[in-house]
């Protein structure tokens, strides 16, 4: 566990730096950048870390960075903390002084908060390392392009978690009150992939469907039968689902078209089912298409696997949060069918993603309660110190998450 004076040390640090971190977050919010375009964001973070005596290493594509804290001379583990930098291509509807200045780009998913939390955590841990009070090493990962996605894979390709023993991250949750942290052992977010099914066949007149392949009818069968077939071919506990978002075919009411398209998303909470999904869908689609004399081509686009929190890391994260926030601050969080590319890290090393409460009681419009930044710093700093200490606190299972 972190040492007993951690709470007081965090109090002192945040008394001196919390306002700065809030202003830093507001600056990022006012100047959002899309995935792989986070040049200003990367520069601002790197400058602040360098001013604290750290040495950020920019990732090969020019956005995002890695920075190590501590020498590891004490023989402790290397623990990674991840934040994401990119914004979303949507309009900022808030009427606040730090409203986005970039048309149709906004930090609507809390990545500005994640970045401010990681920055604050890094500054706090750097001070401890300089005083010789960090037994292992901590690597901050400021990741680009979480929303694209692809940024996590770039971090992996750059050796971002090479030799790392464990990894943690927080994700803003507007459904959770500020001051609360939601943890869960096992799947916490789903795989999220995109599929495109293009159907082709000989077109013709609707008066003579028997002389053609009735492509629209066949496409309709694919759209309706695939989700139903999946529910009978896959263990329901995997929560594998297919939902269509776009279907298009033809331009005239009395003409059978010669091509059509359906696009949708595949979501899943089970890693094995996720890996098997492309072959299963291909076989089902071909089975339906062949019955109606059309050719169906499947384009299956992998995005992210399910995020599966490792139990020991989850217990570490929860224990650390309880120490610095109090036992009532940690709650069990439900599974989400949304996707998160933090999952790619967990395919390689143990780790855990937790939900950071950002709900502001009584707010007239959505915006994060910025007290969440200081709370996030407390949790991530405590988690890093817990993990680098090599303590076995996590050998005790989390009852509130293991049951879910």
């Amino acid at each position: 566990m972190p040492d007993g004076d951690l709470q007081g040390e965090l109090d002192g640090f945040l008394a001196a730096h919390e306002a700065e971190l809030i202003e830093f977050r507001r600056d990022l919010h006012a100047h959002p950048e899309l995935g792989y375009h986070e040049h200003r964001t990367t520069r601002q973070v790197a400058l602040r870390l360098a001013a604290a005596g750290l040495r950020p290493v920019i990732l090969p594509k020019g956005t995002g960075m890695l920075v190590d804290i501590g020498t590891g001379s004490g023989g402790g583990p290397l623990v990674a903390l991840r934040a994401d930098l990119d914004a979303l291509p949507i309009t900022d509807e808030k009427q606040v002084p730090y409203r986005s200045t970039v048309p149709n780009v906004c930090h609507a998913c809390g990545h500005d908060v994640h970045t401010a939390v990681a920055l604050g955590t890094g500054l706090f841990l750097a001070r401890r390392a300089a005083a010789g009070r960090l037994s292992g090493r901590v690597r901050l990962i400021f990741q680009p392009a979480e929303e694209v996605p692809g940024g996590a894979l770039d971090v992996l390709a750059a050796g971002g978690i090479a030799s790392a023993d464990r990894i943690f991250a927080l994700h803003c949750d507007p459904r959770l009150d500020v001051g609360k942290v939601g943890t869960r052992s096992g799947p916490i977010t789903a795989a999220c992939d995109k599929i495109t099914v293009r159907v082709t066949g000989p077109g013709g007149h609707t008066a003579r469907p028997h002389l053609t392949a009735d492509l629209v009818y066949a496409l309709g069968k694919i759209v309706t039968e695939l989700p139903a077939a999946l529910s009978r071919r896959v263990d329901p506990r995997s929560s594998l689902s297919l939902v269509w978002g776009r279907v298009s075919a033809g331009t005239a009411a009395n003409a059978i078209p010669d091509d059509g398209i359906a696009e949708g998303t595949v979501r899943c909470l089970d890693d094995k089912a996720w890996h098997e999904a492309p072959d299963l869908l291909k076989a089902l689609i071909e089975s339906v298409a062949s019955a109606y004399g059309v050719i169906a081509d499947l384009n299956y686009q992998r995005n992210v696997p399910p995020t599966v929190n490792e139990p020991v890391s989850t217990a570490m994260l929860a224990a650390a949060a309880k120490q610095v926030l109090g036992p009532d601050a940690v709650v069990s969080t439900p599974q989400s069918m949304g996707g998160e590319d933090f999952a790619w890290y967990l395919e390689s090393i143990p780790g855990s993603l937790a939900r950071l409460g950002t709900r502001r009681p009584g707010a007239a419009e959505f915006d994060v309660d910025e007290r969440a930044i200081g709370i996030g710093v407390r949790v991530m700093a405590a988690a890093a110190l817990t993990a680098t200490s090599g303590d076995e606190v996590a050998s005790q299972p989390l009852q509130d998450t293991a049951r879910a």
Side-chain angles (χ1 to χ4, degrees), residues 71-151:
T71 62
S73 57
L78 170 60
V79 177
L81 306 177
R82 176 268 208 169
D84 32 20
L85 303 177
D86 56 327
L88 285 164
I90 61 176
T91 300
D92 192 354
E93 302 291 348
K94 295 187 302 299
Q95 299 301 318
V96 293
Y98 50 89
R99 183 173 181 264
S100 172
T101 60
V102 183
N104 302 316
V105 182
C106 175
H107 273 294
C109 203
H111 292 190
D112 50 344
V113 174
H114 304 166
T115 300
V117 166
L119 173 63
T121 304
L123 297 178
F124 176 79
L125 294 175
R127 189 167 70 173
R128 284 185 65 106
R133 298 172 57 222
L134 188 63
S135 59
R137 283 189 298 149
V138 175
R139 176 169 296 160
L140 304 180
I141 299 173
F142 291 92
Q143 180 204 302
E146 192 276 327
E147 300 287 358
V148 174

Side-chain angles (χ1 to χ4, degrees), residues 13-356:
F13 173 81
L14 289 169
H17 293 283
E18 188 167 17
E20 174 197 355
L21 295 174
I22 290 173
E23 284 304 312
F24 193 91
R25 176 258 167 174
R26 291 184 177 188
D27 177 73
L28 296 186
H29 195 90
H31 302 91
E33 296 171 303
L34 297 175
Y36 293 123
H37 294 83
E38 311 96 330
H39 296 284
R40 181 186 185 277
T41 305
T42 298
R43 184 170 62 253
Q44 294 296 99
V45 175
L47 287 171
R48 184 63 185 89
L49 292 170
L54 298 173
R55 298 182 177 180
V57 177
I58 307 302
L59 293 173
K61 290 185 179 179
T63 64
M65 77 198 78
L66 308 173
V67 58
D68 283 359
I69 303 170
T71 62
S73 57
L78 170 60
V79 177
L81 306 177
R82 176 268 208 169
D84 32 20
L85 303 177
D86 56 327
L88 285 164
I90 61 176
T91 300
D92 192 354
E93 302 291 348
K94 295 187 302 299
Q95 299 301 318
V96 293
Y98 50 89
R99 183 173 181 264
S100 172
T101 60
V102 183
N104 302 316
V105 182
C106 175
H107 273 294
C109 203
H111 292 190
D112 50 344
V113 174
H114 304 166
T115 300
V117 166
L119 173 63
T121 304
L123 297 178
F124 176 79
L125 294 175
R127 189 167 70 173
R128 284 185 65 106
R133 298 172 57 222
L134 188 63
S135 59
R137 283 189 298 149
V138 175
R139 176 169 296 160
L140 304 180
I141 299 173
F142 291 92
Q143 180 204 302
E146 192 276 327
E147 300 287 358
V148 174
L153 295 176
D154 291 335
V155 172
L156 294 176
I161 60 171
S163 69
D165 297 280
R166 207 172 296 277
I167 188 167
F168 297 107
L170 295 175
H171 195 291
C172 289
D173 189 343
R175 301 163 301 177
L176 200 60
D177 286 343
V178 68
K180 300 290 187 182
V181 175
T183 62
R184 184 178 189 85
S185 182
I188 186 170
T189 70
C192 182
D193 298 336
K194 178 184 175 182
I195 70 167
T196 300
V197 180
R198 184 171 295 278
V199 180
T200 58
H205 200 281
T206 57
R208 297 177 290 278
H210 57 292
L211 299 179
T212 71
D214 192 342
L215 185 136
V216 174
Y217 188 82
L219 184 60
K221 282 292 187 179
I222 290 172
V223 167
T224 56
E225 290 188 11
L226 250 65
L230 286 176
S231 70
R232 296 297 182 270
R233 293 288 300 274
V234 180
D235 188 332
R237 291 172 295 182
S238 69
S239 298
L240 180 66
S241 67
L242 166 61
V243 179
W244 302 104
R246 185 173 85 93
V247 180
S248 177
T251 58
N254 64 341
I256 296 174
D258 56 15
D259 75 315
I261 191 170
E263 294 179 322
T265 57
V266 175
R267 298 178 187 269
C268 182
L269 292 173
D270 179 75
D271 194 65
K272 182 175 182 290
W274 177 68
H275 281 287
E276 295 173 350
D279 289 341
L280 176 58
L281 282 168
K282 185 174 187 295
L284 290 172
I285 289 168
E286 289 177 350
S287 174
V288 175
S290 63
Y292 296 96
V294 298
I295 298 172
D297 178 65
L298 170 65
N299 179 18
Y300 194 106
Q301 178 183 319
R302 287 286 198 202
N303 285 336
V304 294
T307 302
V308 183
N309 284 339
E310 186 261 336
V312 171
S313 301
T314 303
M316 279 186 173
L317 188 54
K322 288 177 181 178
Q323 189 199 17
V324 294
L325 301 179
D328 295 334
V330 178
V331 299
S332 178
T333 193
Q335 293 174 339
S336 166
M337 292 304 287
E340 230 291 355
D341 79 355
F342 186 71
W344 286 116
Y345 301 108
L346 300 186
E347 292 257 299
S348 300
I349 60 173
S352 189
L353 171 76
R355 301 292 188 184
L356 177 66

